[in-house]
Amino acid sequence: MSHTLGIRQAQKQKTRQALLDAALGLLEEQSLSSLGLREVTRAVGVAPTAFYRHFRSTADLGTALVEEALGSLHPMIRTTVSAADDSEQRIARAVELIARHVDAYPAHVRFIARERHGGVQPVREAIREQLARFGQEVKDELAKDPESADWSDDDLLMLADLYVDQMLITASLFLEALEGPAEERERVAQVATRQMRLISIGREHWRA
């Protein structure tokens, strides 16, 4: 009996992932607010009623995509901004992480960029919650720096949010350069490095 249940659970998970993958592919050409569940189930080859065994609505599917796109990044973000010999190493790691992630998951990055300000409120809120987590995690790492000794929690969070916002901007720029020449990607990396360096310089001279 347990073996049969295991097979069913594996099949259920496989169908769920197929629905997520199909939706992500369809969202390359449209927004989530215009996506119909019948489009998704047709792409997977299952009946429309099967959709509701996995998701309550397309908004629910969208929040699952947010988790898929951003959830696994939390450990990497913490490692990237953890204490380094200097800010230059931290910046270099951050730019490299963003470039690799865009290369590996362009559809996920495009989905987040579009839906961050899209028309589906639960998805906007899910993205906002994930970004808030990133901000808190970056803040916790920045707080370990000696130069943070006299900083308030509010100021550290403001600084962390600046870094998170800049990483999102950089991801969008790398996405635009994905199909372009290598020189364009290098230009994006250079600009992102300079912008993050500017944030770091501002940190050194900040007085609350």
Side-chain angles (χ1 to χ4, degrees):
M1 179 66 73
S2 60
H3 177 67
T4 301
L5 288 174
I7 293 174
R8 288 177 180 172
Q9 186 61 34
Q11 183 58 48
K12 183 178 181 181
Q13 183 58 39
K14 182 179 179 180
T15 302
R16 184 181 190 276
Q17 189 60 53
L19 290 167
L20 287 168
D21 293 344
L24 192 63
L26 292 166
L27 289 169
E28 290 273 26
E29 305 296 335
Q30 61 183 307
S31 66
L32 183 63
S33 59
S34 66
L35 182 69
L37 69 88
R38 289 181 179 274
E39 290 180 81
V40 180
T41 54
R42 189 183 306 119
V44 176
V46 298
T49 53
F51 181 91
Y52 294 106
R53 298 187 194 123
H54 305 276
F55 305 104
R56 296 185 300 273
S57 63
T58 53
D60 188 35
L61 179 146
T63 59
L65 282 174
V66 171
E67 174 62 30
E68 185 175 80
L70 298 177
S72 64
L73 277 175
H74 291 281
M76 287 185 281
I77 291 291
R78 286 193 295 270
T79 300
T80 298
V81 299
S82 62
D85 290 340
D86 54 43
S87 62
E88 290 297 314
Q89 286 188 340
R90 179 177 276 162
I91 291 169
R93 286 205 305 262
V95 174
E96 182 183 1
L97 168 66
I98 298 165
R100 287 203 315 266
H101 190 71
V102 172
D103 284 345
Y105 306 103
H108 286 92
V109 175
R110 192 172 292 112
F111 168 73
I112 295 298
R114 179 187 292 124
E115 300 301 331
R116 185 184 181 191
H117 303 293
V120 182
Q121 183 177 351
V123 173
R124 291 199 311 271
E125 291 175 351
I127 294 172
R128 186 162 58 247
E129 289 170 4
Q130 288 282 351
L131 297 182
R133 279 184 60 193
F134 286 133
Q136 186 63 47
E137 289 160 356
V138 172
K139 175 200 154 234
D140 291 345
E141 292 300 326
L142 293 176
K144 299 174 184 177
D145 294 344
E147 55 263 49
S148 298
D150 297 328
W151 281 59
S152 69
D153 282 349
D154 286 345
D155 285 355
L156 275 175
L157 185 57
M158 177 178 65
L159 176 64
D161 287 340
L162 282 174
Y163 278 119
V164 172
D165 285 343
Q166 188 57 51
M167 292 174 82
L168 285 172
I169 292 169
T170 301
S172 294
L173 292 174
F174 271 124
L175 190 63
E176 292 176 6
L178 202 56
E179 303 299 328
E183 293 80 10
E184 179 61 18
R185 288 169 54 80
E186 182 60 30
R187 188 192 70 80
V188 170
Q190 291 174 354
V191 170
T193 299
R194 293 181 65 197
Q195 289 171 333
M196 290 191 191
R197 187 178 295 145
L198 182 58
I199 296 173
S200 294
I201 293 172
R203 178 191 189 187
E204 294 170 7
H205 298 280
W206 173 253
R207 294 292 180 270

